[in-house]
Amino acid sequence: MLGEQVGAFLVPRETPEDALKDSRLSWFERPQGIPALPTAPHDTVAVLDETDREARLMHYERRKLAEAVKPLFSRGISEPHAGTAGPGAAAPPGRQTLGWSGGVDNRVDLSSVNSAVYKRIGLVSGARGCTGTLVGRRLVLTAAHCVITASGTYVPATFEAAFSGTSGPYGKQKVVSASWGGKYISNCTGSAVGSWDRCVPEEWALLVLEDRFPNGHPGWFGRANLTEADTLAKSLYSVGYPGCGSDIVNRPASCKPGHLYGQTAACTKGEFLYPFSGGYNFTVALGCDISAGHSGASMYYDVYAVGILSIERCHTCKAPEAGVTAEAKANPNLYKRIDDFLANLVAAKRVEFP
């Protein structure tokens, strides 16, 4: 067994309707100054099945996990899969400026673009409207706060790939099991909200879908844990499902609920933040425009996921949003990198849930 159970804890449950009474991401407030403090590598995972009352806290020895899944990578465990849907057309060319810098939003409605990449991205409905990416036939990668509320309650979620307007062509799947950073609740909810150096390493969730795909399957992304040099060299993209409520000040112009939005040019990249004690920075700043609802969306190149969108450091990144550095205004959003631990865990889950 790859993981050893080291504890269990009760996670109160909340209905999606009650969870959405919270303003979208209002509790997930923007930091006004971000320290880059050493943090121990994460090695614990919380796992909650739909039939359980308690979450299991699993400890993974990083070396043993890496050794166990190493043979799988040579067999293509991290490669993308085209699914049963035919490939779509590439996205049209677009323009790029920096984030919401100067109040400029470069996102466009991508719902009508027939892209094989976009079909593998979908709407996560749980603690709030979020975005998720298929990284296995039954696995969706997203952010922990998409299924855990600010008070630390769990909200059962659903996933709809290629959602557009009112439905997705591949149907709606229930989430039957969810894993997330084992220290997420202690480091990111309640009084710990805002402790970004301790929180962002745990800000991920891996959802297992019910095995029901009556309309075929769109396929899934591969995964890659890039070095900093490769991160800077690759053209990275991110698209998502922004909320259109009047409380979301940086929603897209003419926002349409349930529509996929994003920039069609690559994101700019800024500083690397939050080093582990070994020097690995697990967060990257980027200039792609996002807003509430994009949370959990993958950062990707080609069809390989390399990170998970987590935080906006400012909204429209112009006055009167004071206290934000010039770097934060230029590259206002942060994503958690997929490190070797998370890449190996996804590989192990792919075997467990083929």
Side-chain angles (χ1 to χ4, degrees):
M1 187 172 180
L2 294 179
E4 176 187 3
Q5 184 169 339
V6 293
F9 58 96
L10 182 65
V11 183
R13 293 173 184 259
E14 193 170 351
T15 65
E17 292 75 20
D18 286 339
L20 286 173
K21 291 177 182 177
D22 291 334
S23 177
R24 289 174 186 264
L25 288 185
S26 62
W27 65 272
F28 211 63
E29 266 308 320
R30 285 70 185 161
Q32 294 300 302
I34 303 179
L37 301 178
T39 306
H42 53 84
D43 55 6
T44 57
V45 176
V47 182
L48 181 65
D49 295 332
E50 284 300 300
T51 56
D52 293 340
R53 286 180 52 84
E54 291 185 322
R56 290 169 283 139
L57 188 64
M58 306 295 294
H59 172 78
Y60 290 82
E61 187 174 331
R62 299 171 71 92
R63 180 182 57 81
K64 289 183 178 180
L65 177 62
E67 290 176 352
V69 301
K70 184 177 180 179
L72 302 175
F73 289 97
S74 62
R75 300 174 190 172
I77 196 73
S78 280
E79 295 303 307
H81 191 281
T84 56
R95 62 194 178 95
Q96 166 75 32
T97 59
L98 299 178
W100 258 90
S101 180
V104 178
D105 182 3
N106 289 289
R107 287 173 295 180
V108 296
D109 187 345
L110 300 170
S111 297
S112 62
V113 177
N114 183 26
S115 167
V117 172
Y118 298 160
K119 290 177 181 178
R120 304 171 199 189
I121 297 166
L123 184 68
V124 175
S125 298
R128 52 193 43 79
C130 277
T131 304
T133 302
L134 284 158
V135 292
R137 193 178 70 88
R138 296 177 59 194
L139 299 179
V140 171
L141 190 64
T142 189
H145 74 263
C146 296
V147 291
I148 303 292
T149 68
S151 59
T153 60
Y154 173 76
V155 183
T158 59
F159 177 76
E160 294 179 82
F163 190 87
S164 180
T166 58
S167 64
Y170 300 98
K172 178 188 291 187
Q173 285 79 37
K174 294 180 180 178
V175 172
V176 297
S177 177
S179 301
W180 62 87
K183 302 172 187 174
Y184 177 77
I185 290 178
S186 62
N187 287 10
C188 308
T189 66
S191 61
V193 170
S195 301
W196 305 119
D197 59 303
R198 295 187 301 120
C199 179
V200 179
E202 310 295 325
E203 231 301 63
W204 61 271
L206 191 59
L207 313 179
V208 179
L209 305 178
E210 61 181 328
D211 197 354
R212 189 183 68 84
F213 301 92
N215 303 323
H217 197 287
W220 52 87
F221 274 56
R223 282 92 53 219
N225 48 318
L226 299 181
T227 64
E228 289 192 11
D230 284 341
T231 297
L232 295 174
K234 296 288 187 184
S235 294
L236 301 185
Y237 301 86
S238 189
V239 299
Y241 289 90
C244 296
S246 59
D247 59 322
I248 303 174
V249 299
N250 57 340
R251 62 190 183 277
S254 304
C255 189
K256 299 177 181 178
H259 281 228
L260 187 70
Y261 283 82
Q263 296 174 197
T264 53
C267 303
T268 60
K269 286 155 292 210
E271 57 194 334
F272 290 78
L273 297 167
Y274 305 147
F276 284 151
S277 55
Y280 179 90
N281 291 289
F282 52 81
T283 303
V284 185
L286 67 143
C288 265
D289 302 330
I290 68 170
S291 55
H294 281 255
S295 291
S298 63
M299 291 298 305
Y300 65 89
Y301 74 91
D302 296 333
V303 281
Y304 292 89
V306 302
I308 307 164
L309 277 173
S310 182
I311 304 170
E312 300 169 78
R313 294 194 282 185
C314 50
H315 291 292
T316 56
C317 305
K318 61 177 184 178
E321 290 185 81
V324 182
T325 66
E327 158 61 22
K329 290 180 180 179
N331 294 287
N333 306 307
L334 304 182
Y335 76 87
K336 171 188 163 48
R337 297 166 69 190
I338 293 178
D339 64 345
D340 58 347
F341 178 83
L342 188 52
N344 291 338
L345 183 66
V346 172
K349 291 289 185 179
R350 277 281 311 278
V351 175
E352 186 178 357
F353 300 100

